[in-house]
Amino acid sequence: MTERQKDEAEADFRAHLLALGELRRLTKVSWRDLAGQVGVPKSTLESWLRDGKVPDEVDQVKKTARLLLAAARRPTGASTASLMVRLDHVDWSRAHAAVQAARGEGRSRSARAGRAQRVQPHRDAPLQQSAPGRTVSSWTARQLRVHAAVTGERRQSGHGEFVLPAYVPRAHDAQVREWLGRLAQDGGTQLMVLLGGSCTGKTRTAFEAVREVVPDWQLVYPKTARAVVDLLSGPPVPARTVVWLDDLHRLLAEQDGEQAAVLLRELLERPGPVAAVATMWPQNYQTLEATPYGGQNDHHAQARALLACGSMMEVPEAFTGRAWEEFQRRAASDASLLGVAVAAAEDGAVTQILAAGPELMAHWQRAPHVYGKAVITAAIDARRLGVRSPLPESFLREAAAGYLTPRERADADPTSWFTQALEYARRPIKQVTSALLSVAPPAGMGAVPGIVDLADYLEQHAGALRWDQVPPATFFEAAHHLSAGEDLERLALHAFSRSRYRIARDLYLRALGRGNADAVEGLSFHYTETGRILAPHGREELAELARAVNDGGYSLWYLGSTLASIGLDTQDQEICVLAADLLADSVTAGYTDAAYPLADLWRATGMYEAASVLIAHARQAEADASATPAPLPTLAVKIQDVLDQPTGSGRRGIEATPGEIRLLAHRLAKVPTLLPWDWQSRLAELGETDLVEKLLHALIETDSHSALSRLERFLDEQGRGEEAASLLPTAAENGNDHAVVELVSRWYRSQPEQTRSLLERCWRTGRIRVVLSAARLLLKQPWPAGPRLAEELLNRLAQDGSSAAQMILVTWHLEQWQQSKPAAGTPLPPVILTLLEQASAHVTEARRLLGQHALVIGDTAQAEHFFRSAIDGGDYTVLADLARLQHPDSPAEQTQLTRCGLEADGTTSPSW
């Protein structure tokens, strides 16, 4: 990236910020009110909108833009119209990503502090050499972790036989093979992520595809994040290689996951052809893809960026249509499949039954062995609450006691109960799997003694059933057996989210003792949210921990900037002094971001000149420390050379391979300033229309929000009106969600039946997320046809059990009801209550609202039930509702409860 392009990215974002500042002035929104709604100090907000300072995180800027645009839509005069048009079309995430890329700072906050940064291999330890690649055809299904299948009547004599039934392709198989074939022909390096629940056939899909399309390619299978790092830090991965990334969500959650994600992103920029083939559970994809709320740790910035570069393919849960008919046909002549066909007749869950998933669930839920069930349940809870490492048997032994009744504990034989429990938990199910599995060593043969893993089907399905259950105290006490600081930190966050504050603090301290520096940030957030940071002993404890951590000044900055915000808002001199000391130490340690809140503190005391000098030094340090940017893609250089030539000079056409076009499209999607903003029109004027069209098509494949409309406009300008008119409908039918939403916004008034038909087709084909997005859009439209269609679709989805649809309807009906200005104490209308009761099975917000409604009608017992169930489901903010219910006349006792939290069993924690 050239210096000019770097400057353009930063200048564009600053211009957007200053435009927001002008919109604030015109709408007369006060700095203090806006800062309070956004959740940042007033001085921080002023530095963005008045000085054009680009922040490290974009979420609060996006919130600022939403608030100001909402204010501008109120009657304020025509002077805001042009600004609204401009700011309505800003893609803040992409613009911010361009700035970060230009600065060489596309890393998480933790990464910038040196904790999860792009790390080179440990130079003080020998590299673990990954196994050399072998041809795809030489790998067996078992070696690539394809699930074995249950045996049928023809195979009953086999003992422990690995059974792979005949394969029945489904619709997604053709798409995966087409993707792989195109990559093999055109070159480039790409990532395909197969998304689906446990035992839905993801790995088998990938196995069959690579064996059919590229059987003679090499295949490498790094089984851990560390192995990925070692593989990609060594010699370049050769062309014609498959990088096998089964259960990618597990790799990215490991200690080296962020480093592995960085190196995988770099791999995607190589010419190839190389296919990175991954599998992932949908809920883990959503977790990795989501941007954390302000103030929370961002552990997965690199993983999120990696997934944004990949192609996603959903593997359906069930066999339907032609695939189901073909399976039945084969089952009629294959006794080994006949029983599966009968069992799956109701729901088409063929792959789950083949992998013995229902039998696993029954083995746990209906266990005749109470001690075995307790051990399995403890393992399930460990996985769902963030423990990713193999589970020590010592942990399970200590944790299991809390899952048993006093009578069951008394009847247990102290010398044999746990051995028998493990035997039950490891008992083979249908000769395919077991609840607890042995763990292989990184290299060598046999099983590692003393540790086990949980079957992934149980992790997903049993974990989902227990989503709102808080484990017993023995579970948290047994955590001292866990050795990974990252596991303890995740466990602490889950305990905190369930208002188990004392337990969370103990776990954060254990994580810190295991070398996890992020625990200081987690504990600081904990103390801030609970108000403990306002007490002198609370903030002094945090300051001592932050000063003891060697993380390049990051923890000092995090705590110092938090205290600075509190101190400036409350005018507390003591807090401001401590904040300034911590921030000064952070700057000294080399963390330049600390200079900005420190300058805010200095300005508040009148030290304007010193603050200006500090900021100037910080900006110079940032400029000096900017990482060397990645080289421009070859095609970008060719295009730039052509655009820089004088008009009329002789030139040759731009030659570009499909791989070069795809690579540039991926880079442009992340960094739009790689090329001038008007590259499309300028290249078209030079006669490079074919290249423009191909590049726009490639941008569409990267999920670019604007590429479809740009291609539509380009085709129209080229006199290809019919193609332009069919572009969006075709893209919508082929699975492009952006096209669906755009068509809905255009059609809902003039073509309501086509709009309905489009959304119903999306619904029937399982594209529920885009139906929900379109419904949200329609509910906001002033034309009555939009909300009517949205309500109809959402009602049907709600009846099908979609909690997302139920809660969208709740919000909409609440807004409608509140516009009628009901009297205080009026019960909720029945339609809202019905939706809330349906959604409460999965949504904590529904439980909170039901609790508040119970209070209105005077049912305090029911209110407490709903508040507690919301807290146990992971919404710690509802503890304030519970505190007001239990201590309506005692603010001191309310503060005591909200500050100290609950014990594992739900009783109030004593002061700590």
CSV table of all heavy atoms in Angstrom, one decimal, residues 759-760 762-764 766-776 789-809 835 838:
chain,number,residue,atom,x,y,z
A,759,LEU,N,-39.4,-14.1,-0.3
A,759,LEU,CA,-39.1,-14.4,1.1
A,759,LEU,C,-39.6,-15.8,1.5
A,759,LEU,O,-39.0,-16.4,2.4
A,759,LEU,CB,-39.7,-13.3,2.0
A,759,LEU,CG,-39.1,-11.9,1.9
A,759,LEU,CD1,-39.8,-10.9,2.8
A,759,LEU,CD2,-37.6,-12.0,2.4
A,760,GLU,N,-40.7,-16.2,1.0
A,760,GLU,CA,-41.2,-17.5,1.3
A,760,GLU,C,-40.2,-18.6,0.7
A,760,GLU,O,-40.0,-19.6,1.3
A,760,GLU,CB,-42.6,-17.7,0.7
A,760,GLU,CG,-43.6,-17.0,1.5
A,760,GLU,CD,-45.0,-17.2,1.0
A,760,GLU,OE1,-45.2,-17.7,-0.1
A,760,GLU,OE2,-46.0,-16.9,1.8
A,762,CYS,N,-37.0,-18.2,0.4
A,762,CYS,CA,-35.9,-18.2,1.3
A,762,CYS,C,-36.2,-19.0,2.6
A,762,CYS,O,-35.4,-19.7,3.1
A,762,CYS,CB,-35.5,-16.7,1.7
A,762,CYS,SG,-34.8,-15.7,0.4
A,763,TRP,N,-37.4,-18.8,3.0
A,763,TRP,CA,-37.8,-19.6,4.2
A,763,TRP,C,-37.8,-21.1,4.0
A,763,TRP,O,-37.3,-21.8,4.8
A,763,TRP,CB,-39.2,-19.1,4.6
A,763,TRP,CG,-39.8,-19.7,5.9
A,763,TRP,CD1,-39.1,-20.4,6.8
A,763,TRP,CD2,-41.2,-19.6,6.3
A,763,TRP,NE1,-40.0,-20.8,7.8
A,763,TRP,CE2,-41.2,-20.3,7.5
A,763,TRP,CE3,-42.3,-19.0,5.8
A,763,TRP,CZ2,-42.4,-20.5,8.2
A,763,TRP,CZ3,-43.5,-19.1,6.5
A,763,TRP,CH2,-43.5,-19.9,7.7
A,764,ARG,N,-38.4,-21.5,2.9
A,764,ARG,CA,-38.5,-22.9,2.6
A,764,ARG,C,-37.1,-23.5,2.4
A,764,ARG,O,-36.9,-24.7,2.7
A,764,ARG,CB,-39.3,-23.1,1.3
A,764,ARG,CG,-40.8,-22.9,1.5
A,764,ARG,CD,-41.6,-23.5,0.3
A,764,ARG,NE,-41.2,-22.9,-1.0
A,764,ARG,CZ,-41.8,-21.9,-1.5
A,764,ARG,NH1,-42.7,-21.2,-0.9
A,764,ARG,NH2,-41.4,-21.4,-2.7
A,766,GLY,N,-34.5,-22.7,4.1
A,766,GLY,CA,-33.7,-22.6,5.3
A,766,GLY,C,-32.9,-21.3,5.5
A,766,GLY,O,-32.1,-21.2,6.4
A,767,ARG,N,-33.2,-20.3,4.7
A,767,ARG,CA,-32.4,-19.0,4.8
A,767,ARG,C,-33.2,-18.1,5.8
A,767,ARG,O,-33.7,-17.0,5.4
A,767,ARG,CB,-32.3,-18.4,3.5
A,767,ARG,CG,-31.4,-19.3,2.5
A,767,ARG,CD,-31.5,-18.8,1.1
A,767,ARG,NE,-30.9,-17.5,0.9
A,767,ARG,CZ,-31.1,-16.8,-0.2
A,767,ARG,NH1,-31.7,-17.3,-1.3
A,767,ARG,NH2,-30.6,-15.6,-0.3
A,768,ILE,N,-33.3,-18.6,7.0
A,768,ILE,CA,-34.2,-17.9,8.0
A,768,ILE,C,-33.5,-16.5,8.4
A,768,ILE,O,-34.3,-15.5,8.6
A,768,ILE,CB,-34.3,-18.7,9.3
A,768,ILE,CG1,-34.9,-20.1,8.9
A,768,ILE,CG2,-35.2,-18.0,10.3
A,768,ILE,CD1,-36.3,-20.0,8.2
A,769,ARG,N,-32.2,-16.5,8.4
A,769,ARG,CA,-31.6,-15.2,8.8
A,769,ARG,C,-31.9,-14.1,7.9
A,769,ARG,O,-32.1,-13.0,8.4
A,769,ARG,CB,-30.0,-15.5,8.9
A,769,ARG,CG,-29.3,-14.3,9.6
A,769,ARG,CD,-28.0,-14.7,10.1
A,769,ARG,NE,-27.1,-15.4,9.2
A,769,ARG,CZ,-25.9,-15.9,9.4
A,769,ARG,NH1,-25.4,-15.7,10.6
A,769,ARG,NH2,-25.2,-16.5,8.5
A,770,VAL,N,-31.9,-14.3,6.6
A,770,VAL,CA,-32.2,-13.2,5.7
A,770,VAL,C,-33.7,-12.8,5.7
A,770,VAL,O,-34.1,-11.7,5.6
A,770,VAL,CB,-31.8,-13.6,4.2
A,770,VAL,CG1,-32.7,-14.6,3.6
A,770,VAL,CG2,-31.8,-12.3,3.4
A,771,VAL,N,-34.6,-13.8,6.0
A,771,VAL,CA,-36.0,-13.5,6.2
A,771,VAL,C,-36.2,-12.6,7.4
A,771,VAL,O,-36.9,-11.6,7.3
A,771,VAL,CB,-36.8,-14.8,6.3
A,771,VAL,CG1,-38.3,-14.4,6.6
A,771,VAL,CG2,-36.7,-15.6,5.1
A,772,LEU,N,-35.4,-12.9,8.5
A,772,LEU,CA,-35.5,-12.0,9.7
A,772,LEU,C,-35.0,-10.6,9.4
A,772,LEU,O,-35.5,-9.6,9.8
A,772,LEU,CB,-34.7,-12.6,10.8
A,772,LEU,CG,-35.3,-13.9,11.4
A,772,LEU,CD1,-34.3,-14.6,12.4
A,772,LEU,CD2,-36.6,-13.7,12.0
A,773,SER,N,-33.9,-10.5,8.6
A,773,SER,CA,-33.3,-9.2,8.3
A,773,SER,C,-34.3,-8.4,7.4
A,773,SER,O,-34.5,-7.2,7.7
A,773,SER,CB,-32.0,-9.4,7.5
A,773,SER,OG,-31.0,-10.0,8.3
A,774,ALA,N,-34.9,-9.1,6.5
A,774,ALA,CA,-35.9,-8.4,5.6
A,774,ALA,C,-37.1,-7.9,6.4
A,774,ALA,O,-37.6,-6.9,6.2
A,774,ALA,CB,-36.3,-9.3,4.5
A,775,ALA,N,-37.5,-8.8,7.3
A,775,ALA,CA,-38.7,-8.4,8.2
A,775,ALA,C,-38.4,-7.2,9.0
A,775,ALA,O,-39.3,-6.3,9.2
A,775,ALA,CB,-39.1,-9.6,9.0
A,776,ARG,N,-37.2,-7.2,9.6
A,776,ARG,CA,-36.8,-6.0,10.4
A,776,ARG,C,-36.9,-4.7,9.5
A,776,ARG,O,-37.4,-3.7,10.0
A,776,ARG,CB,-35.4,-6.1,11.0
A,776,ARG,CG,-35.3,-7.1,12.1
A,776,ARG,CD,-33.9,-7.0,12.8
A,776,ARG,NE,-33.7,-8.0,13.7
A,776,ARG,CZ,-33.1,-9.2,13.5
A,776,ARG,NH1,-32.6,-9.4,12.3
A,776,ARG,NH2,-32.9,-10.1,14.5
A,789,LEU,N,-46.7,-7.4,5.8
A,789,LEU,CA,-46.0,-8.6,5.3
A,789,LEU,C,-45.0,-9.1,6.4
A,789,LEU,O,-44.9,-10.3,6.6
A,789,LEU,CB,-45.3,-8.2,4.0
A,789,LEU,CG,-44.4,-9.4,3.4
A,789,LEU,CD1,-45.2,-10.6,3.2
A,789,LEU,CD2,-43.8,-8.9,2.1
A,790,ALA,N,-44.3,-8.1,7.0
A,790,ALA,CA,-43.3,-8.5,8.0
A,790,ALA,C,-44.0,-9.3,9.1
A,790,ALA,O,-43.5,-10.3,9.6
A,790,ALA,CB,-42.5,-7.3,8.5
A,791,GLU,N,-45.1,-8.7,9.6
A,791,GLU,CA,-45.8,-9.3,10.7
A,791,GLU,C,-46.3,-10.7,10.4
A,791,GLU,O,-46.2,-11.7,11.2
A,791,GLU,CB,-47.0,-8.5,11.2
A,791,GLU,CG,-47.7,-9.0,12.4
A,791,GLU,CD,-48.8,-8.1,12.9
A,791,GLU,OE1,-49.2,-7.2,12.1
A,791,GLU,OE2,-49.3,-8.3,13.9
A,792,GLU,N,-46.8,-10.9,9.1
A,792,GLU,CA,-47.3,-12.2,8.7
A,792,GLU,C,-46.1,-13.2,8.7
A,792,GLU,O,-46.2,-14.3,9.2
A,792,GLU,CB,-47.9,-12.1,7.3
A,792,GLU,CG,-48.4,-13.4,6.7
A,792,GLU,CD,-48.8,-13.3,5.3
A,792,GLU,OE1,-49.2,-12.2,4.9
A,792,GLU,OE2,-48.6,-14.3,4.6
A,793,LEU,N,-45.0,-12.8,8.1
A,793,LEU,CA,-43.8,-13.8,8.0
A,793,LEU,C,-43.3,-14.1,9.4
A,793,LEU,O,-43.0,-15.2,9.8
A,793,LEU,CB,-42.7,-13.2,7.2
A,793,LEU,CG,-43.0,-13.0,5.7
A,793,LEU,CD1,-42.0,-12.2,5.0
A,793,LEU,CD2,-43.0,-14.4,5.0
A,794,LEU,N,-43.2,-13.1,10.3
A,794,LEU,CA,-42.6,-13.3,11.6
A,794,LEU,C,-43.6,-14.1,12.4
A,794,LEU,O,-43.1,-15.0,13.2
A,794,LEU,CB,-42.4,-11.9,12.3
A,794,LEU,CG,-41.2,-11.1,11.7
A,794,LEU,CD1,-41.3,-9.7,12.3
A,794,LEU,CD2,-39.9,-11.8,12.1
A,795,ASN,N,-44.9,-14.0,12.3
A,795,ASN,CA,-45.8,-14.8,13.0
A,795,ASN,C,-45.7,-16.3,12.6
A,795,ASN,O,-45.7,-17.2,13.5
A,795,ASN,CB,-47.3,-14.4,12.8
A,795,ASN,CG,-47.7,-13.2,13.7
A,795,ASN,OD1,-47.2,-13.1,14.8
A,795,ASN,ND2,-48.5,-12.3,13.2
A,796,ARG,N,-45.5,-16.5,11.3
A,796,ARG,CA,-45.3,-17.9,10.9
A,796,ARG,C,-44.0,-18.5,11.4
A,796,ARG,O,-43.9,-19.7,11.9
A,796,ARG,CB,-45.3,-18.0,9.4
A,796,ARG,CG,-46.7,-17.7,8.8
A,796,ARG,CD,-46.7,-17.4,7.3
A,796,ARG,NE,-46.3,-18.5,6.5
A,796,ARG,CZ,-46.2,-18.5,5.2
A,796,ARG,NH1,-46.4,-17.3,4.6
A,796,ARG,NH2,-45.8,-19.6,4.5
A,797,LEU,N,-42.9,-17.7,11.4
A,797,LEU,CA,-41.6,-18.2,12.0
A,797,LEU,C,-41.8,-18.4,13.5
A,797,LEU,O,-41.2,-19.3,14.0
A,797,LEU,CB,-40.5,-17.1,11.7
A,797,LEU,CG,-40.0,-17.1,10.2
A,797,LEU,CD1,-39.1,-15.9,10.0
A,797,LEU,CD2,-39.3,-18.4,9.9
A,798,ALA,N,-42.5,-17.5,14.1
A,798,ALA,CA,-42.6,-17.6,15.6
A,798,ALA,C,-43.4,-18.9,15.9
A,798,ALA,O,-43.0,-19.6,16.9
A,798,ALA,CB,-43.4,-16.4,16.1
A,799,GLN,N,-44.4,-19.2,15.1
A,799,GLN,CA,-45.1,-20.5,15.4
A,799,GLN,C,-44.3,-21.7,15.1
A,799,GLN,O,-44.5,-22.7,15.7
A,799,GLN,CB,-46.4,-20.5,14.5
A,799,GLN,CG,-47.5,-19.5,14.9
A,799,GLN,CD,-48.5,-19.3,13.8
A,799,GLN,OE1,-48.5,-20.0,12.8
A,799,GLN,NE2,-49.4,-18.3,14.0
A,800,ASP,N,-43.3,-21.5,14.3
A,800,ASP,CA,-42.3,-22.6,14.0
A,800,ASP,C,-41.3,-22.7,15.1
A,800,ASP,O,-40.4,-23.6,15.0
A,800,ASP,CB,-41.6,-22.4,12.7
A,800,ASP,CG,-42.5,-23.0,11.5
A,800,ASP,OD1,-43.6,-23.5,11.8
A,800,ASP,OD2,-42.1,-22.8,10.4
A,801,GLY,N,-41.3,-21.8,16.1
A,801,GLY,CA,-40.4,-21.9,17.2
A,801,GLY,C,-39.1,-21.0,17.1
A,801,GLY,O,-38.2,-21.2,17.9
A,802,SER,N,-39.1,-20.0,16.2
A,802,SER,CA,-38.0,-19.1,16.0
A,802,SER,C,-38.0,-18.1,17.2
A,802,SER,O,-38.9,-17.2,17.1
A,802,SER,CB,-38.0,-18.4,14.7
A,802,SER,OG,-37.0,-17.4,14.7
A,803,SER,N,-37.1,-18.2,18.1
A,803,SER,CA,-37.1,-17.3,19.2
A,803,SER,C,-36.7,-15.9,18.7
A,803,SER,O,-37.1,-14.9,19.3
A,803,SER,CB,-36.1,-17.7,20.3
A,803,SER,OG,-34.8,-18.0,19.8
A,804,ALA,N,-35.9,-15.8,17.7
A,804,ALA,CA,-35.5,-14.5,17.1
A,804,ALA,C,-36.7,-13.8,16.6
A,804,ALA,O,-36.9,-12.6,16.8
A,804,ALA,CB,-34.4,-14.7,16.0
A,805,ALA,N,-37.6,-14.5,15.8
A,805,ALA,CA,-38.8,-13.9,15.3
A,805,ALA,C,-39.7,-13.5,16.4
A,805,ALA,O,-40.4,-12.5,16.4
A,805,ALA,CB,-39.5,-14.9,14.4
A,806,GLN,N,-39.8,-14.4,17.5
A,806,GLN,CA,-40.7,-14.0,18.6
A,806,GLN,C,-40.2,-12.7,19.3
A,806,GLN,O,-41.1,-11.9,19.6
A,806,GLN,CB,-40.6,-15.2,19.6
A,806,GLN,CG,-41.3,-16.4,19.1
A,806,GLN,CD,-40.8,-17.7,19.8
A,806,GLN,OE1,-39.9,-17.7,20.6
A,806,GLN,NE2,-41.4,-18.8,19.4
A,807,MET,N,-38.9,-12.5,19.4
A,807,MET,CA,-38.5,-11.3,20.1
A,807,MET,C,-38.6,-10.1,19.2
A,807,MET,O,-38.8,-9.0,19.7
A,807,MET,CB,-37.0,-11.5,20.6
A,807,MET,CG,-36.9,-12.5,21.8
A,807,MET,SD,-38.0,-12.1,23.2
A,807,MET,CE,-37.3,-10.5,23.7
A,808,ILE,N,-38.4,-10.2,17.9
A,808,ILE,CA,-38.6,-9.1,17.0
A,808,ILE,C,-40.1,-8.6,17.1
A,808,ILE,O,-40.4,-7.4,17.2
A,808,ILE,CB,-38.3,-9.5,15.5
A,808,ILE,CG1,-36.8,-9.7,15.4
A,808,ILE,CG2,-38.7,-8.4,14.6
A,808,ILE,CD1,-36.4,-10.3,14.0
A,809,LEU,N,-41.0,-9.6,17.1
A,809,LEU,CA,-42.4,-9.3,17.3
A,809,LEU,C,-42.7,-8.6,18.6
A,809,LEU,O,-43.5,-7.7,18.7
A,809,LEU,CB,-43.3,-10.5,17.1
A,809,LEU,CG,-43.5,-11.0,15.6
A,809,LEU,CD1,-44.1,-12.4,15.6
A,809,LEU,CD2,-44.3,-10.0,14.9
A,835,LEU,N,-46.0,-14.3,23.2
A,835,LEU,CA,-44.7,-14.4,22.5
A,835,LEU,C,-43.6,-14.5,23.5
A,835,LEU,O,-42.6,-15.2,23.3
A,835,LEU,CB,-44.5,-13.1,21.6
A,835,LEU,CG,-45.4,-13.1,20.4
A,835,LEU,CD1,-45.4,-11.6,19.8
A,835,LEU,CD2,-44.8,-14.0,19.3
A,838,GLN,N,-43.3,-18.0,24.8
A,838,GLN,CA,-42.6,-18.9,23.8
A,838,GLN,C,-41.1,-18.7,23.8
A,838,GLN,O,-40.3,-19.6,23.8
A,838,GLN,CB,-43.2,-18.7,22.5
A,838,GLN,CG,-44.7,-19.1,22.3
A,838,GLN,CD,-45.3,-18.6,21.0
A,838,GLN,OE1,-44.8,-17.7,20.4
A,838,GLN,NE2,-46.5,-19.2,20.7
